[in-house]
Amino acid sequence: MNDAGPEAAAAVVRALRELARERADEVELFDGFTDAELDSWAVPVPEDVRVVLRQIGGLETEEHEYRFGPRGRAVFADGYWTLGELDFGEGSLIVGVGSCGWGPVVAVRPWGDDPDVMVEAPEFVGWLAGFTERLADGVADRAAAKHFVPAVPTVEVAEGTDTGLGALVGRGDSLTDLVDLRDLPGYPCAVGWEPYFSTSHNTADTGSSEVQFRIVGDGRALLLRSVVSGDFLGRPVRRHQLPADAADRAVAGLRALATEFPSFVVLDAGVDDRTMDGWPVPVPAEVRSVLREIGAVAIAGLPALRLLPGAPEHEVAPEVHHMMGGDGTYWPLARIGYGHSPALLQIRVDPETGRWGYAVSVPAEAKALREYPEVALLAESLPDLLLTFARLARQAVDGPDFAGRVTGDTRWLFPNTGEPWPRPAPVGEWAGSADPLLAAAAGLPAGTHAADLRAVPIPSDLCFYRAAGWPYAARLDRLHFAAGGGLAAAVPASG
């Protein structure tokens, strides 16, 4: 990582000291560090960086202030050290700090109307040399980008062929992008990236979204995570690809857990095809393959999933049943308690095709649903939901307090607790759309708001009443789910 060498570092020190003498009223150099101080830091400091830091601990000009160590600042964290702020706090200049050396140097400006990321140099000493040259030439602005690369969704990385990068992102996250810092065409290199949230169209709640960034793999990659908190989602995400054999994997995973950890995971027997043939909705093949094997899933710390009809937890009042879409539009799975309000976890059923689609939870108390219509998107399908439950249970068995760990990881099961926020839009905006699903939604009654859920994170909260155009005093007539939940709409009561 550090290719400059001690000689090049010493040359940078000499050039900076000479510049500070010539322009004492413009350039101030901060005191350096002792080797004892450098040795006490939580990260290794390579020799070329030491050559600089023994003499210079940072610098200040009319335009910039950079500090090269932890004096009076936060400790090293997340694989980088913050050299200084950019644009009056709108961004940060950071340098990777790892066992391979200090680098690269990256400018991250996640805020404002034009957020951007730029990799300025592959290592610290080279960056400082370039900065010194520009300062000597009287150039206040930082170097312009000469190259360009796109950021990549970490889910795509996790499911790709680069095992090195894949190891850095694990399973990947729909709201996190990766920049490969070791495979750049040159420097400075601009990164094509923007946060997943949007502050346009007002906000969903408090408008406190942020961007978290980390450098991982000893400077190998930069991770940029959008924390959508109180704003609406601004662009589509990359979801995890659901395996074709998801149903078989879910059954096998849950059976293995029930065998290994019977005190934590209990399964009920499934039913035969003749029984399923008598149900009021058609049962697709992939769902049948699950229900033949499993009729209920009880995992400590989670609401029990009653996959077969007739469980007391499935009962809802007639008014709530109407607002959820009515007969043949949903398949109840579990009652979820959160505070004093219940919600019904369900699979949305497309009455036109018989397809079982997304897993969602909907408030099951009439007054709450009527006045504050909302939906939580939990999974793409029943097998996807079961795979998620199995994955969380498998993670929890590796530590103490199994039930507590599982509960803490699944607060998003109840509406208005998971985030991020897809933005509900008046369906009239989609009139004439080339997308058949959106065009069909435009025919719903006036005042209806809807959200396209096909490219939003899982889990997501969809709060219709937080949309700017949802009338303050509006009351819900019913929820409408098209294409098995690919689109969710709230139809207000007339009058």
Side-chain angles (χ1 to χ4, degrees):
M1 177 65 68
N2 287 81
D3 300 325
E7 296 80 8
V12 172
V13 171
R14 289 194 298 270
L16 265 176
R17 284 196 173 282
E18 180 64 25
L19 196 59
R21 282 194 293 268
E22 293 176 355
R23 304 181 188 175
D25 58 338
E26 299 177 18
V27 181
E28 178 185 357
L29 302 183
F30 303 142
D31 291 339
F33 303 89
T34 66
D35 278 304
E37 288 176 299
L38 299 177
D39 290 340
S40 71
W41 291 358
V43 296
V45 184
E47 184 56 32
D48 60 341
V49 179
R50 283 176 180 261
V51 169
V52 174
L53 268 56
R54 289 186 188 113
Q55 303 296 319
I56 302 172
L59 59 92
E60 182 176 6
T61 72
E62 293 179 348
E63 302 289 338
H64 308 283
E65 179 181 335
Y66 299 126
R67 294 186 180 270
F68 305 153
R71 288 178 179 167
R73 302 174 69 92
V75 297
F76 295 104
D78 294 324
Y80 68 86
W81 174 246
T82 301
L83 296 175
E85 294 183 345
L86 304 173
D87 296 338
F88 305 101
E90 290 295 318
S92 300
L93 185 70
I94 64 176
V95 58
V97 285
S99 60
C100 295
W102 280 31
V105 178
V106 186
V108 183
R109 277 184 284 236
W111 316 114
D113 296 330
D114 189 22
D116 72 277
V117 176
M118 187 165 71
V119 186
E120 298 202 345
E123 44 81 27
F124 170 77
V125 174
W127 165 80
L128 188 59
F131 176 83
T132 302
E133 290 176 6
R134 292 193 302 277
L135 191 61
D137 292 338
V139 179
D141 294 336
R142 307 212 329 279
K146 297 179 180 178
H147 306 274
F148 175 88
V149 295
V152 182
T154 53
V155 172
E156 181 178 323
V157 174
E159 297 175 352
T161 58
D162 190 323
T163 56
L165 286 178
L168 298 178
V169 301
R171 186 169 178 264
D173 171 69
S174 290
L175 293 169
T176 303
D177 289 347
L178 175 143
V179 184
D180 186 350
L181 299 174
R182 302 249 182 109
D183 190 24
L184 301 177
Y187 302 90
C189 186
V191 176
W193 174 85
E194 61 179 301
Y196 283 99
F197 55 80
S198 170
T199 54
S200 302
H201 312 288
N202 299 313
T203 60
D205 195 353
T206 58
S208 54
S209 299
E210 63 175 337
V211 175
Q212 299 172 343
F213 41 91
R214 291 191 297 143
I215 290 181
V216 297
D218 276 338
R220 171 68 194 275
L222 173 71
L223 300 182
L224 296 153
R225 181 172 184 264
S226 297
V227 181
V228 186
S229 180
D231 294 300
F232 287 117
L233 195 69
R235 62 186 178 102
V237 305
R238 171 69 180 264
R239 284 185 186 162
H240 295 96
Q241 185 174 359
L242 195 62
D245 60 345
D248 294 337
R249 292 193 189 193
V251 170
L254 289 170
R255 283 198 176 282
L257 285 163
T259 300
E260 296 175 54
F261 309 100
S263 59
F264 295 143
V265 181
V266 178
L267 307 180
D268 287 358
V271 295
D272 56 28
D273 284 288
R274 179 175 298 180
T275 300
M276 287 185 266
D277 290 340
W279 290 352
V281 296
V283 185
E286 71 162 6
V287 178
R288 285 177 180 260
S289 66
V290 171
L291 300 185
R292 290 188 196 106
E293 305 294 330
I294 299 175
V297 180
I299 297 177
L302 290 176
L305 299 178
R306 308 297 181 190
L307 309 184
L308 310 182
E313 298 97 319
H314 297 170
E315 295 179 2
V316 296
E319 182 181 3
V320 175
H321 176 67
H322 166 79
M323 286 189 285
M324 288 185 180
D327 292 337
T329 63
Y330 66 98
W331 189 259
L333 294 180
R335 184 167 291 266
I336 305 168
Y338 186 78
H340 300 292
S341 302
L344 187 69
L345 195 164
Q346 57 192 258
I347 301 294
R348 295 307 308 185
V349 178
D350 186 341
E352 296 182 3
T353 65
R355 173 176 170 259
W356 288 33
Y358 285 2
V360 301
S361 68
V362 178
E365 197 276 322
K367 184 176 186 296
L369 182 55
R370 183 173 57 249
E371 297 181 5
Y372 304 105
E374 55 189 346
V375 173
L377 172 60
L378 309 180
E380 290 191 27
S381 64
L382 175 60
D384 185 27
L385 179 68
L386 296 178
L387 280 174
T388 299
F389 271 42
R391 175 171 52 82
L392 295 172
R394 178 63 67 180
Q395 292 171 355
V397 298
D398 293 332
D401 188 14
F402 176 94
R405 294 184 69 188
V406 173
T407 300
D409 288 340
T410 53
R411 299 191 185 281
W412 43 264
L413 286 171
F414 195 88
N416 206 357
T417 55
E419 301 179 346
W421 311 86
R423 183 177 75 89
V427 293
E429 291 184 3
W430 295 332
S433 172
D435 187 316
L437 187 62
L438 302 185
L444 291 168
T448 298
H449 281 61
D452 185 349
L453 301 184
R454 292 171 293 179
V456 303
I458 295 177
S460 273
D461 276 326
L462 175 56
C463 296
F464 294 100
Y465 62 90
R466 297 182 186 273
W470 184 261
Y472 176 75
R475 297 294 179 261
L476 179 71
D477 174 63
R478 60 186 171 87
L479 296 172
H480 171 79
F481 294 85
L487 180 141
V491 182
S494 58

